Amino acid sequence: MNVFLSTLQNTFIIISAVIVGILIISLVVVLVRRSVTEKRYHELYYQRIYKTALYKDYYLINNFTYLSDDSLYVTINHILFGDKCIYLILDMYYYGDLYGTEDDLSLILVPHNQKKCYTENPLGLISKYLEDIKRTMGLDDINMRGLVVVNNDCYSEVTDTHPELDIVRVRRLKKYVDSIEKDESIPKIDSTQLKNIVDKFDATNIKKEQTNG
């Protein structure tokens, strides 16, 4: 009996040690992955956005920089030219979850296991950039959207008040774009007109990084 109990105890200890080891390794993997994403999120997002452009043969301009009306240089991380819509994209990384409404000047940021704080609303930025681009480029008749792409572990509960603005997790970007491009209620942009628009963006861009998927 004692031998049986001793064997049982040893088995329990071994199993417990294995479970603890797995949990520790899983935690380390999560922390390392989060650290890498935080440091390299621009590069990681670019890879996903480039694949989206490549998959559908869309034009893509990265780091589009222009001079705003108030004489400030503004950089939009990516401009993706779909068949039906042009997407202005900002890269953002948040250690936590976002709450609020699209019209708020600041969003509530709830870091993981920390007290909530406030952060500038990126939708306000992309909304201003969208207005600037439409006005300066004369694109009022073109379907355009302003997207804020965030890390996959950032949960967003921001009330939607403007259909042309969205916060999208990077892993959902392709599905998001596909849903717009497959919407039969949205007309296609004439291919010649689209190419002229791309050329106009390229000529305006202070930084030249055009990619044709």
Side-chain angles (χ1 to χ4, degrees):
M1 186 70 176
N2 289 336
V3 173
F4 174 75
L5 288 176
S6 178
T7 302
L8 190 62
Q9 288 173 344
N10 290 337
T11 302
F12 175 77
I13 292 172
I14 292 171
I15 293 174
S16 298
V18 170
I19 293 173
V20 170
I22 291 173
L23 291 175
I24 292 174
I25 291 173
S26 299
L27 178 60
V28 170
V29 169
V30 169
L31 293 176
V32 169
R33 183 180 298 166
R34 180 177 293 163
S35 177
V36 170
T37 301
E38 185 175 3
K39 292 176 181 177
R40 298 177 51 213
Y41 71 93
H42 284 298
E43 178 185 345
L44 296 173
Y45 292 4
Y46 164 73
Q47 292 173 359
R48 185 62 64 96
I49 294 167
Y50 174 74
K51 286 181 180 179
T52 300
L54 186 65
Y55 176 71
K56 290 292 189 177
D57 197 27
Y58 294 154
Y59 288 102
L60 173 65
I61 293 178
N62 299 299
N63 295 321
F64 176 81
T65 303
Y66 69 97
L67 190 63
S68 67
D69 292 340
D70 46 6
S71 300
L72 295 175
Y73 288 102
V74 174
T75 296
I76 300 172
N77 298 116
H78 318 277
I79 302 181
L80 181 65
F81 299 85
D83 293 331
K84 295 185 175 184
C85 183
I86 297 174
Y87 308 86
L88 308 188
I89 302 172
L90 287 185
D91 297 343
M92 300 297 290
Y93 180 91
Y94 294 100
Y95 181 70
D97 302 324
L98 297 172
Y99 300 88
T101 67
E102 289 182 345
D103 291 322
D104 292 338
L105 293 177
S106 299
L107 295 179
I108 298 173
L109 173 63
V110 183
H112 304 301
N113 301 321
Q114 297 181 34
K115 293 183 179 179
K116 70 178 183 181
C117 56
Y118 292 90
T119 186
E120 183 179 14
N121 187 349
L123 292 170
L125 292 176
I126 196 63
S127 176
K128 181 181 184 305
Y129 301 162
L130 194 59
E131 291 177 4
D132 286 349
I133 294 299
K134 281 190 172 185
R135 184 181 66 256
T136 58
M137 296 285 190
L139 299 176
D140 288 332
D141 60 336
I142 298 296
N143 185 28
M144 299 183 69
R145 287 179 176 255
L147 305 181
V148 177
V149 173
V150 299
N151 41 302
N152 291 326
D153 58 349
C154 173
Y155 172 77
S156 172
E157 192 174 301
V158 179
T159 303
D160 185 3
T161 55
H162 301 283
E164 75 277 9
L165 305 176
D166 274 299
I167 297 176
V168 183
R169 293 183 187 183
V170 64
R171 71 182 172 206
R172 295 193 66 252
L173 180 64
K174 182 180 176 300
K175 287 185 178 180
Y176 178 93
V177 171
D178 284 346
S179 70
I180 302 299
E181 297 296 323
K182 291 178 181 178
D183 188 338
E184 295 182 357
S185 67
I186 302 175
K188 277 192 173 184
I189 304 170
D190 178 78
S191 59
T192 301
Q193 183 184 17
L194 181 60
K195 181 61 170 65
N196 290 336
I197 292 171
V198 173
D199 290 342
K200 192 173 183 179
F201 270 94
D202 188 53
T204 306
N205 191 11
I206 296 173
K207 293 183 179 180
K208 307 288 186 180
E209 292 188 34
Q210 179 180 329
T211 300
N212 182 1

